[in-house]
Amino acid sequence: MIKSLSLFSLLAGTATAWTSSLSMKADIPVASTTSSRRDLFAKGGAAVAAGLAAVTTIAPANAYEVPDLLYPFEALEPSIDAPTMKIHHDKHHATYVANLNKALEGKPQPPILDLMANALEAGPAVRNNGGGHYNHAFFWDEMTTPDKSKKTQVSKQLESAINKAFGSMDEMKKQFEARAAPGALFGSGWVWVVANTNGKLKIVCTSNQDNPLMKGVLDSIYFPILGLDVWEHAYYLQYQNRRPEYVSAWWNVVDWNKISDNYDVVLKTRAGVSVEG
């Protein structure tokens, strides 16, 4: 990441150049002196303007960033179309990141995972945009192409936890889809499979860009291992108002190797899964 430039250094350098150039001999003709001064002021002004522009365009040292996708925009078709992926990643996610950086300008910017626990206390800007950043970074990483998804596998450890909590994988998917239906989760939000500190699984929903890592959102903090975005911007170009169809098709791009890794991380650390950005 580009390091911030010092405005003081830029101005100091310009001042030095001015001082050096103004050390003129007394016998220089008046016309020549006047012309030189005009040139000097023009060059000096340009240098200051350039310095100010550089300062205002360079990102803070700890700025959050939109992580690159691990696959092309079209890789998730036919489950999720390329135009949706491009707008979702490059526009919606980028807006959350830009607003989060603005909200925390001049303030500490910890890893996004660490920011989640006290997001509600930090205020709406951090809650909405910080949640939006974490949720989307998490979402991108849990998906892969349909061909690769078929070859991914649920770990024995996760399979056991799923069977214990839901009875079977099919039953888990059935309950997940029911919780994701418009009648169950009205408006915008997310549906999650989460684990508690003992590794026990359950399905929960959160509104807007809240997530189970945030204190005060649910009855306790939970650690997501799988999550689905059911905001309309995640599916409307392709599915319009047919959210259940989108949810059902989404299983075809889930990377169960990654979901299994997420569960393993939670069991080992008793904490949330880290994300890029």
Side-chain angles (χ1 to χ4, degrees):
M1 204 176 298
I2 304 175
K3 293 184 178 179
S4 301
L5 294 177
S6 167
L7 177 60
F8 176 79
S9 298
L10 287 168
L11 296 179
T14 303
T16 302
W18 278 40
T19 304
S20 176
S21 299
L22 286 170
S23 299
M24 303 175 182
K25 293 182 180 179
D27 58 354
I28 296 177
V30 173
S32 175
T33 301
T34 303
S35 176
S36 297
R37 284 176 178 169
R38 284 199 198 98
D39 292 342
L40 183 60
F41 277 106
K43 292 177 181 178
V48 171
L52 288 171
V55 169
T56 56
T57 57
I58 291 176
N62 294 321
Y64 300 104
E65 297 179 330
V66 178
D68 292 334
L69 295 177
L70 302 175
Y71 38 78
F73 293 121
E74 68 275 11
L76 306 184
E77 293 181 340
S79 293
I80 305 177
D81 62 296
T84 293
M85 285 298 298
K86 183 171 179 58
I87 294 171
H88 199 173
H89 178 270
D90 290 1
K91 301 298 182 182
H92 289 281
H93 191 172
T95 298
Y96 292 125
V97 170
N99 289 338
L100 178 61
N101 284 329
K102 183 177 180 180
L104 293 180
E105 187 174 2
K107 301 176 183 177
Q109 294 182 324
I112 188 64
L113 175 61
D114 297 346
L115 195 65
M116 291 299 95
N118 297 312
L120 271 65
E121 294 179 7
V126 173
R127 176 181 184 174
N128 296 331
N129 296 295
H133 179 30
Y134 179 88
N135 296 350
H136 284 87
F138 184 95
F139 185 55
W140 309 136
D141 282 355
E142 66 182 352
M143 296 186 290
T144 189
T145 67
D147 286 345
K148 290 182 179 178
S149 175
K150 293 176 183 177
K151 299 174 183 177
T152 64
Q153 295 183 336
V154 177
S155 67
K156 295 296 184 182
Q157 188 169 231
L158 178 55
E159 181 181 22
S160 176
I162 289 173
N163 291 339
K164 186 175 181 179
F166 308 106
S168 68
M169 171 67 82
D170 288 342
E171 183 60 26
M172 185 203 76
K173 289 182 178 180
K174 181 179 178 181
Q175 292 184 31
F176 189 94
E177 291 178 21
R179 296 295 299 274
L185 178 55
F186 183 77
S188 302
W190 293 74
V191 186
W192 311 88
V193 176
V194 299
N196 63 13
T197 54
N198 295 318
K200 184 178 179 180
L201 301 179
K202 67 184 298 185
I203 297 169
V204 299
C205 298
T206 57
S207 299
N208 301 316
Q209 293 299 345
D210 287 350
N211 65 52
L213 295 165
M214 298 175 177
K215 285 190 293 189
V217 167
L218 299 171
D219 61 319
S220 179
I221 287 180
Y222 296 98
F223 309 112
I225 65 166
L226 177 148
L228 175 61
D229 187 350
V230 294
W231 281 62
E232 286 189 342
H233 66 233
Y235 63 87
Y236 204 82
L237 288 180
Q238 182 174 356
Y239 296 97
Q240 288 81 52
N241 63 331
R242 306 188 307 276
R243 185 197 288 180
E245 188 177 330
Y246 155 68
V247 177
S248 178
W250 180 69
W251 295 117
N252 295 325
V253 293
V254 171
D255 182 346
W256 290 105
N257 292 340
K258 173 59 176 169
I259 307 307
S260 297
D261 288 344
N262 289 348
Y263 186 60
D264 187 54
V265 167
V266 170
L267 289 180
K268 290 180 178 178
T269 66
R270 300 296 191 269
V273 176
S274 296
V275 298
E276 296 295 325

